[in-house]
Amino acid sequence: MVANGPMLRLLPRLDDDVAFYWTSGEDGVLRLLHCNACGFFIHPPGPVCPRCLSRDVAPEAVSGRGHVETFTVNHQQWIPGSDPYIIAWVSIDEQPDVRLTTNLIDVEPEDVRIGMPVRVVFEQAEDVWLPLFTPEGAS
Amino acid sequence: MSPPPVEEPLERRAVISGIGQSAVGRRLGRSDLDLTVEAALDAIADAGLSRDDIDGLSTYPGMGAGTPGFGGPPSPEVQDALGLSLNWHDGGGEGPGQMRAVMAAALAVAAGLARHVLVYRTVTEGTAQGAGGRQGIGGSGGGGGGVPRFGSFMQWSLPFGAVSAANWIAMVGQRRVHEFGLTREQLGQIAVNGRRNAALNPKAIYSDPLSLDDYLAARIITTPLCLFDCDAPCDGSTAVIVSHRDVADDLDHPAVQINALGTALRGRPSWDQFDDMTSMAARDAAASMWERTDLKPGDVDTAQLYDGFSVLTIVWLEALGFCGRGESGPFIEGGGAIARDGLLPLNTAGGQLSGGRLHGFGLIHEACVQLRGEGGERQVVRPGGRVPEVAAVANGGGPIAGTMLLTRGVR
Ligand SMILES: [Zn+2]
């Protein structure tokens, strides 16, 4: 059984431009910055849409569904006391060129496949809701 | 989109006229400035110059960068220590890999801003890390009150324990397993080849034999990477003198001309957002280099390709066109093609995996050694008894990549 992540969660600062993202899970919904002019999801968030250069951008809810693009099972004790855990890049179904670095949980390494569908689950750490992912269909 | 073509790339006006290197070791317990001075004086003497001839100074990454032992001394400290009077100076960590400092120097020389630029890269990561082993990036601090939090790009990976470049590169490796069928037996040849060559490098950190079985039995760091896929932190300084090509005839050894620089970053500057997870910026840097020269991959006699992690080396092999995309696994399988007497002698001083993590500059140094025919026991001899005439050097990985083509003598 691998862990859900490292022994210790090193947390983001909740700067103004990203606070919405890191707290979005409070109501169980994943949100990404979205361009109201052209519909592009902008990740990481920025002040302007890199596709059409509109500044009309705002957080928008997404389904929380995605696919595993690649992964690694970390064994090294970068953070002492950690059991092995799975790090992955997960693409977001609404716009697959957006990838989130995340942990895969409730799945064993031998059952992870690149291309497998996953859905978001949030882990709260202090005032941050970390988007983690679990296989679609898992309880 | 490529820049407009030029009649002659300006970098060709620059040569590496001298090379130098300090002692290299696991933990030397010497200051970064002390090591840098040793390498610098070695390089200045090698170029047949004196301190007073040096009018330019450049380094990577410059002041205050990175984890302990990573940055080396800032350029003002080196200028002052050596009593240099400068017409041009530069230091920084952003650009096409560690060799950005050499690129900047070449362009400064071509522009007439300086005549002889001392370029150095110094690490004391061996001493700084002590017995603690390899560290993650920014992996300090902990939870609870008063604990530092993270902003900027690290915030996207640190919370998930993706603390080290090893984790990010492992994901590139796993994607290559998926797309191209890369095996650990294939990947292991990068480490095994490096160790074989390191046995002939007196300064190498690890020189005892390493078999493929040893590799396969090694401790896993982050799948599919094991201990031997990760380079060896060390102490050491490497310096080169970049001069105008006019000096080539005055040297007592062949000048090493910079034939072409590869600097492009056309995809997104990000590990997790780059469009192609199997190549990243190496693809762009390599493409832009070949756009600036009539030389072809088949002209290259030796390749010194960044091996901070083995996966980066195979990415460079493909990006630079030594084999097709996705074909590096079969290309390196068995190790024959990349051996000193093979099709493409690779990382002939042991690279960073066994030679030590001199962070890009060890590879630049070795390319010059080979082109000058000064490799001694490890000298590459091409079919027909030829000393190498063209070398490819690459630094960096992921969204940070630079490459250059070097030639023996001015063309
Ligand atoms: Zn837009």
Side-chain angles (χ1 to χ4, degrees), chain A:
Chain A
M1 189 73 194
V2 293
N4 284 357
M7 178 75 174
L8 181 73
R9 295 287 189 186
L10 298 169
L11 295 175
R13 269 203 307 262
L14 303 190
D15 293 338
D16 286 349
D17 53 345
V18 296
F20 84 87
Y21 177 83
W22 290 119
T23 58
S24 183
E26 188 169 8
D27 64 359
V29 176
L30 181 66
R31 290 173 181 81
L32 298 172
L33 197 69
H34 186 247
C35 174
N36 291 324
C38 79
F40 191 69
F41 284 102
I42 304 156
H43 189 80
V48 63
C49 171
R51 187 161 76 174
C52 76
L53 300 184
S54 169
R55 297 177 71 94
D56 182 10
V57 298
E60 171 128 331
V62 293
S63 65
R65 292 192 168 81
H67 287 79
V68 174
E69 296 294 332
T70 185
F71 68 99
T72 182
V73 184
N74 180 76
H75 292 258
Q76 181 75 358
Q77 298 277 309
W78 316 109
I79 297 171
S82 299
D83 289 325
Y85 53 90
I86 307 171
I87 305 164
W89 289 341
V90 166
S91 60
I92 294 304
D93 280 0
E94 284 80 357
Q95 186 177 307
D97 63 6
V98 170
R99 301 188 200 114
L100 307 184
T101 298
T102 187
N103 298 124
L104 299 181
I105 67 169
D106 298 325
V107 61
E108 289 303 307
E110 55 270 26
D111 295 326
V112 177
R113 297 286 177 272
I114 289 177
M116 76 191 288
V118 290
R119 64 178 169 80
V120 73
V121 286
F122 291 96
E123 178 184 301
Q124 186 183 355
E126 301 180 25
D127 53 357
V128 175
W129 279 260
L130 297 170
L132 312 181
F133 285 81
T134 191
E136 188 75 88
S139 57

Side-chain angles (χ1 to χ4, degrees), chain B residues 20-200:
Chain B
Q21 197 166 64
S22 71
V24 174
R26 193 80 168 105
R27 280 185 277 280
L28 297 176
R30 291 169 56 188
S31 76
D32 55 6
L33 187 58
D34 180 32
L35 293 168
T36 304
V37 166
E38 183 185 352
L41 294 177
D42 189 25
I44 292 167
D46 180 63
L49 300 173
S50 72
R51 180 271 309 273
D52 293 343
D53 296 315
I54 302 299
D55 67 342
L57 182 63
S58 181
T59 191
Y60 171 97
M63 203 169 287
T67 46
F70 176 80
S75 61
E77 284 185 21
V78 174
Q79 177 182 1
D80 218 30
L82 292 172
L84 300 177
S85 178
L86 300 176
N87 289 316
W88 178 83
H89 54 101
D90 164 90
E94 295 175 19
Q98 298 81 9
M99 67 170 64
R100 66 151 297 283
V102 175
M103 294 174 168
L107 297 177
V109 162
L113 289 166
R115 182 129 187 97
H116 299 289
V117 182
L118 168 63
V119 190
Y120 67 92
R121 170 81 182 106
T122 305
V123 288
T124 50
E125 290 181 299
T127 291
Q129 295 181 13
R134 171 175 288 276
Q135 292 180 343
I137 291 170
S140 60
V147 164
R149 288 200 173 196
F150 295 86
S152 192
F153 83 102
M154 291 305 294
Q155 71 179 300
W156 306 110
S157 56
L158 286 185
F160 310 100
V163 172
S164 165
N167 298 128
W168 314 333
I169 291 160
M171 288 195 278
V172 173
Q174 189 64 38
R175 184 76 194 188
R176 298 185 72 89
V177 170
H178 172 74
E179 283 196 40
F180 307 133
L182 175 69
T183 67
R184 290 197 64 222
E185 286 77 6
Q186 292 169 340
L187 185 59
Q189 291 297 338
I190 299 296
V192 169
N193 176 70
R195 186 63 63 90
R196 197 165 46 224
N197 291 336
L200 302 178

